Amino acid sequence: MPRLAIVCLSTVFIACGINPAFDDTLTTTSAATTTTTSASSTSTSTPLDPTTTTSGDTGDTGGSATEALTGGPTATSDPTTTTSDDTTGEPPPPPPEPEHLQHYDPANCLEPLWCHAQDDVFAGRPARIHSQACFNPAAQPFRLVRLDYIIAAVLGDNMGDAFLEVRTHDPMSPGQPLVAPIPLVNADLLVGARQYDFNPPLELDVDAFCVGFSAGHTQPAEASLGVAIDPVNLPDDQSYVRSEGLMGCNTVGWLDIHDFDPTPKGGWCIAADVEPVP
């Protein structure tokens, strides 16, 4: 297929099969590869199961000797000592081992999946991008402890309406929210490898779940979030995207990235740590 040198109508893109999701925003043009800079996490955590050992001791109590006042032999009371047994509580069980859920290789997470200009994958266009990666933990029941994720690009310097979302996973797409959206700050969305710790962990009463980000807007200032994708690893029913923007930057609901052809195409670089509920 010849390379498109100019932006064409969205209906033409759909007919050509280039990108039925982002219309005239993403093309088959190969993008330059950049290397992201890893940044340290802004979140902190506290020990989940502190160990407490309790012991108790009581002192000795001695009796007293009293001389009789009647002139008879001296009467002495037998000393009596009372000592309580030392007791030590049973050591608490070790904390449960976390289960790491990850579908990507960090070395492949170089490019963002978002709404961008035709010839440059890093030239983001203003839109609200929703990313959701889904997992089915072996541990049941479980609680969500931590996220690892990679941000490949950011448009704008104000992500004041950015949220982390945790949803159910149905066979076709992310489902209903499991908890209220969690507000994020700009430091959570800097370009590079990031980490978010749930403190306390989130106990999720489901068999499978999805987790990801919602960020970006067209007004009052242009902004968008480019979460990285891994073009090598893309399981179906695992990575979903939804876009809300102007001039072709819209999708019709959630789309499984496995089932259409955006540029670039791959699975989200989002991983999760879960642990069994003790």
Side-chain angles (χ1 to χ4, degrees):
M1 180 182 295
R3 176 179 175 180
L4 298 177
I6 61 174
V7 177
C8 58
L9 297 176
S10 61
T11 53
V12 175
F13 271 79
I14 294 174
C16 296
I18 292 177
N19 193 348
F22 291 93
D23 295 333
D24 62 351
T25 309
L26 307 179
T27 74
T28 54
T29 304
S30 61
T33 300
T34 65
T35 303
T36 59
T37 302
S38 175
S40 61
S41 168
T42 59
S43 302
T44 59
S45 61
T46 56
L48 299 178
D49 293 299
T51 301
T52 303
T53 302
T54 304
S55 63
D57 295 324
T58 57
D60 295 339
T61 302
S64 60
T66 303
E67 183 177 354
L69 300 180
T70 58
T74 302
T76 304
S77 61
D78 292 336
T80 303
T81 301
T82 303
T83 305
S84 63
D85 293 335
D86 292 341
T87 58
T88 302
E90 291 293 331
E97 291 292 330
E99 178 184 355
H100 187 67
L101 308 169
Q102 180 172 324
H103 300 292
Y104 66 89
D105 181 347
N108 300 332
C109 298
L110 303 176
E111 294 181 330
L113 175 56
W114 61 349
C115 190
H116 64 77
Q118 183 175 351
D119 294 325
D120 186 357
V121 71
F122 287 95
R125 295 174 63 177
R128 188 164 188 83
I129 306 297
H130 308 264
S131 57
Q132 287 280 300
C134 301
F135 306 97
N136 188 3
Q140 297 291 337
F142 64 91
R143 57 190 182 189
L144 183 57
V145 178
R146 190 181 77 180
L147 291 186
D148 294 302
Y149 55 99
I150 299 175
I151 305 298
V154 174
L155 172 66
D157 57 2
N158 183 7
M159 291 290 176
D161 58 351
F163 295 94
L164 190 158
E165 295 183 332
V166 183
R167 294 174 172 267
T168 60
H169 183 206
D170 64 37
M172 299 300 294
S173 69
Q176 297 301 312
L178 289 169
V179 296
I182 301 170
L184 299 174
V185 297
N186 286 354
D188 296 317
L189 303 173
L190 297 176
V191 171
R194 316 300 303 164
Q195 176 181 313
Y196 186 92
D197 293 298
F198 294 90
N199 189 15
L202 292 179
E203 187 169 335
L204 304 179
D205 188 19
V206 291
D207 295 331
F209 72 99
C210 303
V211 63
F213 307 95
S214 175
H217 44 75
T218 58
Q219 296 294 335
E222 296 183 347
S224 192
L225 179 66
V227 180
I229 54 94
D230 180 351
V232 178
N233 299 292
L234 180 56
D236 57 354
D237 301 328
Q238 189 270 327
S239 287
Y240 299 87
V241 63
R242 182 162 59 93
S243 177
E244 300 166 344
L246 302 175
M247 300 175 63
C249 292
N250 286 300
T251 65
V252 181
W254 290 100
L255 295 173
D256 188 337
I257 301 173
H258 186 275
D259 295 336
F260 74 110
D261 294 309
T263 300
K265 178 176 182 175
W268 294 120
C269 296
I270 299 173
D273 280 4
V274 302
E275 65 183 13
V277 175

